[in-house]
Amino acid sequence: METVVSGVRFTEDQSTNLATLYGRAIDARSERPVLGDTTAEDVVRKIDYDFGKFKVSENDAFGIAARGKVFDDVVRDFVHRHPECTVVHLGVGMDSRVFRIDPPATVRWFDIDFPDVIDLRRRLYPERENTTMIGASVTDDWLDAVPGDRTTLVVAEGLTMYLDPAAGLELFRRVVEHLPTGEVFFDAYSKLGVRAQKTNAIVRRAKATLRWGIDDPSELAGTGLVPVSVRTADAFVPEEAWTRLPPVTRVVYRTALRVPVLRNMGKLMHFRFGA
């Protein structure tokens, strides 16, 4: 008999990770999935939770899955370039990225999130060799649990905008101080995007609060991070994924992304640090 986990109680900000999990599950059920995360669909079935309250549409699910694929591709590329690296997934939520990537045993992987989120992950996901789950706020002192002896990729998907700006900057400063060399990849909202958060359906329905908007990579100059690339919201969808959208929706999306103020509301930021 399949185990069903009940009594899931997250804060508003934390509950967004259930909304994105549900979006990946919806994508997995579609005829032409973008991410094809069947693990997400399995996990949704095992949680006794009202996912319907998020009202995640097929278009929402497409956006969630497309962004996830962009992150997966960055992780795969880093692991390919550094087969004996460390990967740190900040604010992992219920994301099954480590299972999608399936890195070789030479890669050390750390999933970081609040203790109650990690507790739920332990109940739903199998243990995996060389994968460590750490129950802590990303702004707490968890870095001592990550050995600083390898080049490291730090990824944070759907996280930075929920952080207090000062705490977010301090987080990246500590990452750079603790780890010898590596890269950081995350998505961010512009300051306008944070101010316009009520237009984000998933954030609004989860009653979450966005706090940190980043307009330019120079705002992180004091952290020791060196910009590699900054891509606007049109990069959230891999080129091959556009064909998965219905023609009318595709035209609407592409038309909206031609407007600079809309295109710049979301960014993918890639940095390096160390030698």
Side-chain angles (χ1 to χ4, degrees):
M1 183 176 178
E2 190 174 71
T3 300
V4 175
V5 176
S6 59
V8 177
R9 298 288 184 271
F10 286 163
T11 66
E12 286 84 356
D13 288 358
Q14 290 172 335
S15 69
T16 58
N17 81 71
L18 294 178
T20 53
L21 171 69
Y22 189 47
R24 290 190 292 272
I26 292 174
D27 170 71
R29 298 169 193 160
S30 68
E31 292 184 2
R32 301 182 66 196
V34 174
L35 194 60
D37 189 352
T38 55
T39 302
E41 186 175 11
D42 291 341
V43 170
V44 163
R45 285 201 302 265
K46 293 177 181 178
I47 302 176
D48 181 15
Y49 190 85
D50 180 19
F51 288 97
K53 75 176 187 179
F54 297 121
K55 299 180 181 177
V56 178
S57 68
E58 289 189 6
N59 286 343
D60 293 331
F62 171 85
I64 291 167
R67 183 180 67 173
K69 188 177 188 310
V70 170
F71 273 78
D72 282 5
D73 288 347
V74 169
V75 177
R76 287 192 182 97
D77 174 70
F78 189 88
V79 170
H80 176 74
R81 288 185 284 119
H82 306 283
E84 295 185 355
C85 67
T86 295
V87 176
V88 177
H89 191 168
L90 296 178
V92 61
M94 297 308 296
D95 198 338
S96 55
R97 172 160 290 123
V98 67
F99 297 97
R100 296 196 302 270
I101 300 296
D102 191 24
T106 54
V107 173
R108 287 191 309 226
W109 190 291
F110 293 84
D111 284 330
I112 320 293
D113 213 315
F114 290 106
D116 47 354
V117 176
I118 293 298
D119 177 64
L120 182 59
R121 286 186 67 86
R122 293 187 194 281
R123 296 160 71 186
L124 291 168
Y125 290 111
E127 290 189 5
R128 181 184 166 87
E129 185 181 6
N130 296 321
T131 298
T132 303
M133 291 185 280
I134 299 175
S137 166
V138 298
T139 56
D140 286 347
D141 296 326
W142 53 268
L143 266 166
D144 288 343
V146 179
D149 60 345
R150 295 184 182 184
T151 188
T152 301
L153 173 65
V154 178
V155 292
E157 180 184 354
L159 171 70
T160 62
M161 57 286 297
Y162 295 100
L163 300 178
D164 172 80
L169 291 170
E170 179 60 22
L171 164 64
F172 289 127
R173 273 193 292 267
R174 289 191 292 111
V175 164
V176 171
E177 289 173 1
H178 179 74
L179 299 170
T181 183
E183 298 176 16
V184 175
F185 186 74
F186 62 87
D187 54 337
Y189 281 165
S190 67
K191 292 179 177 62
L192 176 61
V194 170
R195 289 197 298 271
Q197 60 186 278
K198 288 186 178 180
T199 64
N200 185 313
I202 290 177
V203 171
R204 185 178 67 252
R205 290 164 190 156
K207 299 180 181 178
T209 302
L210 306 182
R211 300 174 178 86
W212 189 14
I214 304 172
D215 288 331
D216 190 272
S218 63
E219 296 172 35
L220 283 82
T223 64
L225 294 176
V226 178
V228 173
S229 67
V230 177
R231 292 179 283 171
T232 51
D234 48 334
F236 279 58
V237 179
E239 192 59 39
E240 67 272 18
W242 283 107
T243 59
R244 314 289 177 90
L245 281 173
V248 174
T249 306
R250 194 185 317 158
V251 170
V252 171
Y253 271 24
R254 287 198 182 275
T255 300
L257 290 172
R258 290 193 184 100
V259 181
V261 69
L262 297 178
R263 188 171 62 247
N264 286 295
M265 284 178 71
K267 291 184 174 67
L268 293 171
M269 295 194 162
H270 197 164
F271 295 84
R272 62 177 173 81
F273 62 89

